[in-house]
Amino acid sequence: EQTVFHNLGIAPNPANEQVVVEAQGETISSLQFVNAEGGVVMTQSVDNERTVTIGVAQFPVGVYFLLVSTDRA
């Protein structure tokens, strides 16, 4: 089952150095970056934080999708 949340902020977009992910009313439990080909670039567990900063400078230039798991889904 997939749940869509409208209270998730990701900035900046596009990003060169870092991405800040902020969940309002939720806590983040994990993040996963997936490249345009569907390959997992990075997975990070988080200790139920509302705001997480992730360094992305090491990622090759490209398009990435961010999968966010929260305390609710």
Side-chain angles (χ1 to χ4, degrees):
E1 178 179 325
Q2 182 179 4
T3 305
V4 176
F5 298 102
H6 300 283
N7 52 351
L8 186 68
I10 303 169
N13 186 8
N16 293 320
E17 299 292 321
Q18 64 185 17
V19 173
V20 178
V21 181
E22 183 177 5
Q24 297 176 6
E26 323 260 344
T27 56
I28 300 168
S29 57
S30 69
L31 301 167
Q32 185 174 69
F33 285 86
V34 179
N35 64 23
E37 291 80 36
V40 175
V41 177
M42 184 184 86
T43 300
Q44 181 170 335
S45 295
V46 180
D47 291 328
N48 295 318
E49 301 287 336
R50 292 193 187 275
T51 302
V52 179
T53 301
I54 303 292
V56 296
Q58 74 278 15
F59 292 3
V61 173
V63 175
Y64 295 89
F65 301 93
L66 177 59
L67 306 173
V68 180
S69 296
T70 68
D71 57 349
R72 293 194 329 180

